[in-house]
Amino acid sequence: MARTLENDIFTSYALPDERGNFGRFGGTFAPETLMPAIQELVEAYGAARRDEAFQAEIDRLAASYVGRPTPLYEATRFAEETSGATGARIFLKREDLAHTGAHKINNAIGQSLLTRRLGKTRVIAETGAGQHGVATATACALLDLPCVVYMGAEDIERQGPNVLRMHALGAEVRPVTSGTATLKDAVNEAMRDWVTNVETTHYVLGSAMGPHPYPTIVRDLQRRIGDESAAQLRTVEGRLPDLAIACVGGGSNAIGLLARFIGEPTVRLAVAEAAGDGLATGRHAAAILGGTPGILHGARSLMLQDVDGQVIEAHSASAGLDYPGVGPQLAALAEGGRLEVASATDREAVAAMKTTTRMEGILPALETSHAIAALPKILAGVEGLAGGWPSDGDLLVLLGFSGRGDKDLAALARFDDVPPWAGSQ
Ligand SMILES: *Cc1c(COP(=O)(O)O)cnc(C)c1O
């Protein structure tokens, strides 16, 4: 099917209104000094998404540089272990095989091309684990743009290899020491830089969050994940999946996978949040299941906050999910009942990671492993999930395999005592 940007209007949440609202979430909550830049971005992106030459340039790099379309792989051994009574067949959308090892490159390249189109000559980005920093530094090397990446000093300490990668790619990594010196502080610092240097600089935000139009830009750039999956599944099975599931940090790979299916009533949509030490412990990163409405990083959405509206630090062994908010479209879809929301603890994710690696020879990122760990719960309908799946063996599951896990081998060693699922030993 032809990729169109507006063929998914089914619920009022499929697209934001002209002010960037997805239901009661989204919008623009930014300092006055940033409003001209945001308005410029709204207009420039509005034109770019309808410009065939711009889209063709993205398509060209997606194919020749990123390696798209990424494969859709049926994990049969893994499905035997996972599907339980449903007998579901499980298809992995292999974003781990995209250049730099995760879906983040899709957004980084698109926004770097947008930077050029805006006539700007400098890129900034924030990064937590370093994955978005590496993707942006990569796109900037390709397009010959100077790149500054803001990264919490704590994260720089924890993610040495990615810092070295960014340096090798020619990016400057600026340590952020304010607050807790982690991702949310890096976003604040990047926004400060943007305000100061808005004439020359585009801020390449790394997930489907932040002020309008970022949630829309990032979704549009990531939705080829779901568009490709739908086409690939149609080729091999002649139909759409019954369930599509992805892990959620800020929400870019999830909305990228799910956007195509929002308007398809036969496709159930699910996400897996990071439950860290467990939802009941308060030490988690589950902004939908454990958060409340509030304003974070320029938009209204669900977030972790205390009674005074102060941000509560997120906790997850997975650096890419360790964020106290979630993108507004996913918040709206969840609130509207279109999205089933599951979670997995650090230990459950590690067990899923070990299982997938041993059964399929594919090492998933710890982030991705949360979606894998949550899948049996969704199929079994436990922990408040709807369940009710048919068990005639004709259930097709599409799982967004957001990235590769080489970066997480040290974390894996830390959880040495966690066994893989029984059947994989
Ligand atoms: C960054 C990252 C995520 C989480 O970010 P989203 O914006 O929620 O997709 C998930 N998986 C991998 C592999 C990542 O690098």
Side-chain angles (χ1 to χ4, degrees), residues 221-290:
L221 292 170
Q222 293 291 2
R223 71 164 286 163
R224 64 179 65 226
I225 302 171
D227 290 349
E228 285 175 10
S229 301
Q232 288 167 318
L233 209 50
R234 206 179 279 286
T235 302
V236 291
E237 296 299 323
R239 67 181 185 92
L240 296 174
D242 299 293
L243 165 68
I245 175 172
C247 66
V248 53
S252 70
N253 91 91
I255 198 65
L257 183 81
L258 303 180
R260 166 64 182 83
F261 305 111
I262 293 170
E264 303 284 357
T266 62
V267 185
R268 282 167 69 169
L269 312 180
V271 291
E273 292 197 298
D277 290 344
L279 292 180
T281 67
R283 291 175 52 82
H284 59 77
I288 303 176
L289 287 173

Side-chain angles (χ1 to χ4, degrees), residues 151-161 163:
M151 187 169 185
E154 275 298 313
D155 290 332
I156 289 179
E157 205 60 35
R158 290 187 289 194
Q159 308 288 338
V163 175

